[in-house]
Amino acid sequence: PSTEAPSTSDKGFRKGMMALRDIKMAWTLNEFVAMDSQFEFKMQRQEKAICDQVSLDVASVANFQAYCQQFQFQRKRFGILYGHFLTTEEGEKKTKVEAIYEPPQQPDPEAAEGFEQLEDPLEETVEKIAQMCGLQKVGWILGHAQREKGVVLESAEIIMAAELQL
């Protein structure tokens, strides 16, 4: 047994927090539950869509799909969508995709995403060109094999979407 006193973070209610007694000497259940609820994250369905309509540049999508079709969609592939966010006179929010940039990536069936995203030496150049053309990142696209009914995104793809959040 060690004679060293445990570090403060080890005694804390949550990692990095003080021990409950160091915060307050006596706790009611309601106080404790209220404090604990600050650390809960609940996913809720959003009430209204952020975007009412998306239009894609036909040639860009055709090129993206052509690569996927070469492999019967058995290789996953992703790209960054560049375009504009627009608001109509009626207040509808639309996204117009003008281009798709596919960063360097290598198929990897062992990876959770199905590919490995490689270092992109052209990332800054692509961003500058997009800005010069009046474009900005508006989303991302993923090509994959057909899935069972009801499966939209797999867990690794949800994580990737969160990481790429614009």
Side-chain angles (χ1 to χ4, degrees):
S2 173
T3 56
E4 295 177 22
S7 69
T8 308
S9 63
D10 292 343
K11 331 186 284 190
F13 167 64
R14 298 231 182 240
K15 188 173 184 159
M17 285 185 63
M18 296 187 297
L20 289 175
R21 283 259 165 138
D22 293 342
I23 298 171
K24 183 177 175 181
M25 287 302 288
W27 291 84
T28 66
L29 181 59
N30 287 339
E31 291 171 334
F32 177 76
V33 169
M35 185 186 69
D36 188 43
S37 68
Q38 296 174 34
F39 300 97
E40 292 178 5
F41 298 95
K42 296 180 181 176
M43 294 186 72
Q44 299 176 346
R45 182 175 185 221
Q46 64 188 57
E47 296 298 317
K48 185 170 179 350
I50 294 171
C51 180
D52 299 307
Q53 180 182 346
V54 175
S55 64
L56 299 166
D57 176 65
V58 175
S60 296
V61 173
N63 287 336
F64 182 80
Q65 285 183 325
Y67 176 85
C68 296
Q69 286 172 341
Q70 289 176 356
F71 302 98
Q72 287 79 40
F73 285 88
Q74 296 306 307
R75 284 189 183 175
K76 288 186 179 179
R77 187 91 177 152
F78 88 100
I80 306 295
L81 305 176
Y82 283 90
H84 314 277
F85 294 112
L86 310 166
T87 303
T88 65
E89 292 176 8
E90 297 82 30
E92 286 184 322
K93 295 179 181 176
K94 297 183 177 185
T95 303
K96 186 172 183 180
V97 176
E98 302 282 358
I100 300 173
Y101 173 65
E102 296 179 52
Q105 52 198 288
Q106 175 109 9
D108 183 357
E110 300 298 316
E113 298 88 358
F115 56 84
E116 178 187 353
Q117 186 175 351
L118 305 174
E119 191 67 35
D120 187 359
L122 299 176
E123 185 174 8
E124 286 182 27
T125 304
V126 170
E127 280 298 315
K128 286 178 184 174
I129 292 171
Q131 286 178 347
M132 289 174 17
C133 294
L135 304 175
Q136 68 184 75
K137 287 181 183 176
V138 294
W140 66 288
I141 188 169
L142 177 72
H144 57 77
Q146 187 173 354
R147 298 189 173 148
E148 63 184 74
K149 188 174 179 149
V151 176
V152 179
L153 290 174
E154 295 174 350
S155 58
E157 296 161 358
I158 293 169
I159 292 168
M160 183 177 175
E163 290 171 347
L164 292 173
Q165 186 70 31
L166 304 173

